[in-house]
Amino acid sequence: MDSELLSACKRRRLDVLNSLPPGSVLVVPGAQESRRNNDVNYNFRQDSDFLYLSGFTEPNSYLLLVKDLSSQTKFIMFVEPKDAVAEIWNGFRYGIEGVKEVFAADESYPVAKFSDKLEKILDGLQAIYYSLGTCPTTDDILTNTVKKLHKKTSRGLSPSLAFKPATPILHEMRLIKDDYEIKCLERACNISASGHKLLMQKAAAGLHEYQLAADFIHHCTYAGCNDLAYQPIVASGVNACCLHHMPSDKELNKDDLLLVDAGGEYKHYAADITRTYPVKGKFSKAQAAIYSLVLNAQTKAIAAIKPGIEFEHIQSVIVTEMVKGLVELGILKGDLVSLIQQKSYDKYYMHSSGHWLGLDVHDVGFYKVDGKSRQLVAGMCLTVEPGLYLPATDTTLDSKWRGIAVRIEDDILVTSNGYKVLSANVPKDISAIEAIMQHETL
Ligand code: GLY
Ligand code: MN
Ligand code: MN
């Protein structure tokens, strides 16, 4: 096991326990196996909250952090027990003793005993930190146990027990990345960056979108990613107007742009990078004009990032630059302020500036605090991903623009005095892209 990960998990558990009031428990269910077809399951991926606090990757588990009324704390795990036959078929299990020895649980039990043991664990506590609605099985087990305990409460034998959301504690912690997480995010971005460069070199008319997706998946998993952070988006020509287009059997056309939005997942941390480039290796005049507009908006938005700025400021820089550029190209007509106020750009740019990045590609954490856009602080990681999508069917557009779609996405770490672009290894200037597409060495 990765000792750095285990130490990080221990620190995080201590931080959670410090935030819990006496007389409470945090309950985190692990992910369950999910059936794909007949007797085949989807690839298993542990729940991100569960990973964050334990590092444990087996399915069907529970993690509890208890702080009793006298502030004594306990880390309890419920896991699948060791089973010689099941392990021959499906692999090693740490089992009841293993999770104590390796993952530092104070107590551990077979997961089949979860609902039986729960009543004793909850009895005498006042709050359960668990986000109801996230896991139906756990919702039922917890609410049934609380109902039983309420009978004791009504006879004055046990304090009343309230559900509280776990999100404000756990997801606010996950929003600020620790050193271990930053290393994993950097690695995910570096592996993904070289995957993007590989695709820039391979892209050629006649290849199918799915073939480039396969190359990216192979590259990331061969380089040590546990998986892809999400299904790669490989979209050529008008397909790129669909924001989450799935790679199809469409052949790349030499005159099209190719949009690749893809990222590996390294030690469960996501990269999320998009580049758009011409299949034939040279931008046409119209493609270069739209590309430069998006790149300018992205560059200025990234340059504005530093602690203290509001998350929404990133979008406002993008929108201002986009609208200026669209007016210069004659795609929008009118005065800048009213075009922005009327959101006249949103038929061509209809999404936000980006999102938090971490264990989940669209990572957790509130974007608003007390109704106001959240201020950035060092340790946050986010994407900046403006795009312009000019539909082929939009007859209000000059025909030279129709069907052009561009998105450029980078992964940014907020630092104490500004930012670091974790995905900086993938070229995005027109000249650098055209150079690498002429098969310069990686
Ligand atoms: N890859 C999905 C996104 O950029 O949000
Ligand atoms: Mn993204
Ligand atoms: Mn993306």
Side-chain angles (χ1 to χ4, degrees), residues 230 244 261 272 355 362 385 409:
Y230 54 95
H244 287 170
D261 178 346
D272 182 8
H355 47 85
H362 294 166
E385 49 177 304
E409 176 173 28

